């Protein structure tokens, strides 16, 4: 009984307090700064999903992570603790995500107005029922874009946004959207055929579109869909004030039923998560040694988080590795908070922020060869490159030194960018993978010419096969810029060969 009481006091009750505090904090924060004051310049997908998904990890890593260690749940691979952390994060994140849907919809009433011109007087409202309106069908403005999604970008999604002006007023638009999903692994000819089919079918459907078939309108907030409609409007109005444009999308459901069961499910989902955590806390035994260390406020002997933070310390042992990792992470965060889609930015968005393409580079924008190395096409793209960069650079930094590693990384990245625009005429290329493959080219050279000692070469061959080999294979399947990969790999191998010719004995000494 005392063991159960200890587990409840030290693990479960702190979990409940932290969870309730985190859920309340984010909902108050979101409602105040975004819905009430409108001063939170973040897209809806960040506010509704990604921040709620990430936020629980902060209190877990700061307060709860140490407490979980008093439970004897190490597991065969030492990953039992992470399972508990993940369960805690899910128990917090799910009700926060559900509550965002409820808060966003319940905070606004339905405004019944007689004409569309009245909508400009209701700047802070979201839902409208309009008695009478007319659409200038012939003046509709289209914009087509594509995004990839899924693991390894294996899905290709086409979007057609049609901004249709209301006749009674300017800067208010009726939004019509069409979309189509297909595999990104099919060949280019098939993609082009599917694209043309999608446009033709959408055009035919739009000709008979019933603009009056609407129960009420929803005003789009800061989102990818709103960006799509704004791009359509900008095709003919390049100098328009984007903030003044109002995009209304039709809704056909009953307004009073828009909330569904979201409110009870906020509490229901938290209750399910809390009950699951209760069982997870009560069932295992207590690790008496960890409990004593916790009561004495002793730090963890094996602390993965501390090791990871140390690895990212630009003043630590792996300076160059940490600097390169942090640069890629910081640039991605800037991209995300600047409004780019966190999962799959469009080629146009990537090009505008510094992506690499032949036309722009050949017309004097040479800086793109460098900037594109630190830009990524989504969270998964960044994550995979960070793994490859961390593993590759950590094998090279002690051999080359910090300064040489960064210089070679940049040189290989630029040469990979050149290879990309040489091979691809109209492809927007981004990502650190070309520069990373340059590092793996060095590792290949150091392995082939036996710079690494015997006990390391088996590991380097395995790493080359698992990361470089698999990445190149996926590149042949489509959706990945293999030209940059091969450009980086070859340039890295050549640079490695030159370094070996110049200073082989010193490199071998460093590697040992």
């Amino acid at each position: 009984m005392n063991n159960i009481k200890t587990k409840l006091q030290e693990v479960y009750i702190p979990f409940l307090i932290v969870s309730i505090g985190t859920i309340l904090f984010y909902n108050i924060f979101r409602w105040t700064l975004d819905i009430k004051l409108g001063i939170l310049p973040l897209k809806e997908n960040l506010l509704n999903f990604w921040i709620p998904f990430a936020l629980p990890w902060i209190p877990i890593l700061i307060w709860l992570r140490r407490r979980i260690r008093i439970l004897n749940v190490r597991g065969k691979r030492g990953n039992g603790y992470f399972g508990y952390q993940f369960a805690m994060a899910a128990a917090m994140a799910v009700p926060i995500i559900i509550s965002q849907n409820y808060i966003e919809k319940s905070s606004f009433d339905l405004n019944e107005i007689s004409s569309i011109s009245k909508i400009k007087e209701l700047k802070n409202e979201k839902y409208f029922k309009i008695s009478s309106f007319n659409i200038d069908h012939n003046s509709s403005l289209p914009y087509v874009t594509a995004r990839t999604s899924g693991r390894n970008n294996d899905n290709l999604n086409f979007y057609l946004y049609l901004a249709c002006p209301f006749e009674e007023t300017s800067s208010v638009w009726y939004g019509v959207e069409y979309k189509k999903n297909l595999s990104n692994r099919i060949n280019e000819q098939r993609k082009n055929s599917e694209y043309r089919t999608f446009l033709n079918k959408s055009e035919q459907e739009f000709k008979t579109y019933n603009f009056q078939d609407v129960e009420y309108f929803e005003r789009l907030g800061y989102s990818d869909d709103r960006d799509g409609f704004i791009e359509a409007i900008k095709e003919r109005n390049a100098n328009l004030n984007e903030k003044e444009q109002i995009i209304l999308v039709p809704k056909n459901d009953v307004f009073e039923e828009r909330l569904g069961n979201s409110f009870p499910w906020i509490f229901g989902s938290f209750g399910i998560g809390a009950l699951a955590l209760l069982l997870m806390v009560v069932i295992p035994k207590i690790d008496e040694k960890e409990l004593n260390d916790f009561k004495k406020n002793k730090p963890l002997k094996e602390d993965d988080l501390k090791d990871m933070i140390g690895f990212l310390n630009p003043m630590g042992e792996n300076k160059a590795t940490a600097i390169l990792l942090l640069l890629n992470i910081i640039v991605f965060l800037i991209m995300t908070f600047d409004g780019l889609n966190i999962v799959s930015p469009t080629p146009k968005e990537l090009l505008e922020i510094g992506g690499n393409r032949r036309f722009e580079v050949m017309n004097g924008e040479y800086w793109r060869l460098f900037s594109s190395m630190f830009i990524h096409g989504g969270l998964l793209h960044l994550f995979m490159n960070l793994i490859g960069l961390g593993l590759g650079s950590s094998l090279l930094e002690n051999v080359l030194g910090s300064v040489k590693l960064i210089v070679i990384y940049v040189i290989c990245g630029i040469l990979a960018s050149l290879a990309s625009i040489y091979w691809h005429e109209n492809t927007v290329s981004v990502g650190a993978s070309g520069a990373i493959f340059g590092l793996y080219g060095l590792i290949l050279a150091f392995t082939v010419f036996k710079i690494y000692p015997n006990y390391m070469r088996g590991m380097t061959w395995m790493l080359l096969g698992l990361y470089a080999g698999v990445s190149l294979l996926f590149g042949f399947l489509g959706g990945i810029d293999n030209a940059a990969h091969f450009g980086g790999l070859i340039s890295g191998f050549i640079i490695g060969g030159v370094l070996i010719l110049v200073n082989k004995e010193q490199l071998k000494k460093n590697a040992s």
Side-chain angles (χ1 to χ4, degrees):
M1 183 63 70
N2 288 334
N3 282 345
I4 293 177
K5 182 179 179 181
T6 300
K7 288 185 284 188
L8 293 176
Q9 287 179 340
E10 302 297 348
V11 182
Y12 188 68
I13 292 176
F15 158 74
L16 289 179
I17 294 171
V18 166
S19 298
I20 293 170
T22 302
I23 294 169
L24 289 175
F25 164 77
Y26 186 71
N27 280 289
I28 293 171
F29 170 84
R30 170 79 188 279
W31 186 86
T32 304
L33 298 184
D34 181 42
I35 295 173
K36 187 68 175 178
L37 300 177
I39 59 173
L40 205 58
L42 300 176
K43 279 192 172 178
E44 290 177 353
N45 64 337
L46 274 179
L47 294 169
N48 292 342
F49 181 79
W50 290 107
I51 293 178
F53 178 79
L55 181 64
W57 288 97
I58 297 175
I60 288 171
L61 294 176
I62 294 175
W63 293 299
L64 299 178
R65 180 174 59 95
R66 182 66 181 87
R67 294 175 178 273
I68 294 171
R69 292 298 184 103
I70 74 172
L71 303 174
N72 191 8
V73 292
R74 183 181 298 274
K76 292 182 179 180
R77 299 181 181 178
N79 57 1
Y81 300 128
F82 178 78
Y84 273 68
Q85 293 175 34
F86 186 84
M88 287 180 172
M92 295 185 219
V94 172
I96 295 176
I97 291 170
I98 295 173
S99 66
Q100 298 317 295
N101 176 64
Y102 177 80
I103 285 179
E104 202 172 40
K105 292 181 178 180
S106 65
S107 298
F108 300 95
D109 295 322
L110 183 64
N111 298 272
E112 298 192 19
I113 54 179
S114 57
S115 67
I116 196 68
S117 59
K118 300 285 185 181
I119 206 167
K120 293 184 178 180
E121 302 172 8
L122 304 168
K123 294 182 178 180
N124 297 322
E125 296 297 331
K126 189 177 184 70
Y127 300 108
F128 306 93
K129 189 175 183 65
I130 306 169
S131 302
S132 176
F133 63 87
N134 293 302
I135 301 296
D136 186 358
H137 182 281
N138 295 323
S139 299
S140 301
L141 303 175
Y143 174 70
V144 186
T145 190
R147 296 184 188 275
T148 55
S149 61
R151 188 177 181 180
N152 299 312
N153 295 326
D154 50 5
N155 297 319
L156 180 62
N157 311 299
F158 294 137
Y159 297 89
L160 170 60
Y161 297 98
L162 289 151
C164 314
F166 286 88
E167 290 185 349
E168 294 88 347
T169 184
S170 62
S171 71
V172 184
W173 305 81
Y174 189 119
V176 179
E177 177 186 355
Y178 296 98
K179 58 185 176 181
K180 179 179 178 64
N181 305 321
L182 63 151
S183 171
N184 199 27
R185 301 303 180 197
I186 60 178
N187 59 47
E188 291 300 319
Q189 184 178 359
R190 177 79 182 280
K191 288 179 184 177
N192 291 331
S193 174
E194 293 284 354
Y195 176 71
R196 289 191 297 269
T197 301
F198 165 67
L199 290 183
N200 291 335
K201 183 179 179 181
S202 301
E203 183 180 355
Q204 293 303 316
E205 289 182 9
F206 186 66
K207 287 180 179 178
T208 59
Y209 187 87
N210 185 0
F211 290 94
Q212 302 298 326
D213 183 21
V214 52
E215 288 293 323
Y216 64 96
F217 288 97
E218 177 183 345
R219 178 178 182 164
L220 287 184
Y222 186 28
S223 62
D224 291 332
D225 284 341
R226 186 178 190 279
D227 284 351
F229 289 113
I230 292 297
E231 290 296 331
I233 300 167
K234 286 167 64 177
E235 290 290 327
R236 295 187 189 174
N237 306 274
N239 298 320
L240 88 165
N241 187 327
E242 295 182 16
K243 293 183 179 180
E244 291 183 357
Q245 308 308 306
I246 299 172
I247 313 296
L248 301 179
V249 293
K251 296 291 180 179
N252 290 312
D253 58 308
V254 178
F255 180 78
E256 289 74 16
E257 298 176 1
R258 72 196 185 284
L259 300 175
N261 295 320
S262 56
F263 185 71
W265 266 110
I266 297 172
F267 299 95
S269 61
F270 180 69
I272 293 170
L275 178 60
L277 256 298
L278 178 61
L279 295 175
M280 292 175 69
V281 168
V282 170
I283 291 174
K285 296 179 180 180
I286 287 179
D287 187 324
E288 296 293 342
K289 183 180 182 305
E290 287 289 353
L291 177 61
N292 291 331
D293 288 347
F294 171 72
K295 289 182 176 180
K296 294 176 182 178
N297 203 27
K298 289 185 178 180
L300 292 171
K301 293 181 180 179
E302 298 177 4
D303 194 339
D304 294 338
L305 179 64
K306 185 178 180 180
D307 292 341
M308 184 182 71
I309 294 174
F311 191 69
L312 291 173
N313 179 10
M315 302 303 291
E317 293 181 6
N318 300 294
K319 297 181 178 64
T321 302
I323 290 170
L324 293 173
L325 289 170
L326 288 172
L327 279 174
N328 281 281
I329 293 170
I330 290 169
V331 170
F332 186 78
L333 290 175
I334 293 172
M335 287 171 51
T336 300
F337 287 103
D338 191 46
L340 272 74
N341 187 286
I342 194 171
V343 176
S344 179
T346 65
K348 185 176 186 297
E349 292 170 337
L350 294 172
L351 187 65
E352 288 176 348
I353 203 170
N356 183 38
R357 190 169 67 172
R358 182 191 294 181
F359 177 83
E360 283 73 18
V361 173
M362 297 303 290
N363 281 274
E365 298 180 6
Y366 306 115
W367 51 270
R368 292 181 180 274
L369 299 171
F370 174 80
S371 64
S372 59
M373 287 191 288
F374 299 96
I375 298 170
H376 286 85
L379 187 62
L380 182 61
H381 188 200
L382 172 72
F383 180 71
M384 296 302 294
N385 277 350
L386 290 179
I387 292 175
L389 175 57
L391 292 172
S393 59
S394 61
L395 283 173
L396 290 169
E397 186 159 1
N398 288 334
V399 182
L400 298 172
S402 300
V403 175
K404 278 186 181 178
L405 177 63
I406 293 176
V407 171
I408 292 172
Y409 177 89
V410 172
I411 291 172
C412 290
I414 291 174
L415 291 173
S417 296
L418 286 169
S420 177
I421 64 171
Y422 173 80
W423 190 262
H424 300 292
E425 181 179 357
N426 195 34
T427 297
V428 179
S429 176
V430 295
S433 55
I436 294 169
F437 265 79
L439 301 185
Y440 280 83
L442 262 80
I443 294 172
L444 178 61
F446 290 171
T447 303
V448 170
F449 296 107
K450 300 182 180 181
I451 298 300
Y452 291 119
N454 290 335
Y455 71 89
M456 287 186 64
R457 287 202 290 272
M459 179 181 65
T460 57
W461 279 121
M462 183 175 67
L463 180 60
L464 287 165
L466 288 176
Y467 183 81
V470 171
S471 297
L472 290 173
L473 177 61
F474 276 114
F476 286 119
L477 295 175
I480 297 174
D481 186 6
N482 251 358
H485 289 176
F486 277 110
L489 187 69
I490 294 169
S491 61
F493 186 83
I494 293 172
I495 292 172
V498 172
L499 291 174
I500 292 169
L501 287 174
V502 173
N503 204 7
K504 182 176 182 178
E505 293 306 316
Q506 185 61 49
L507 291 173
K508 291 181 72 173
K509 182 180 178 181
N510 294 343
S512 63

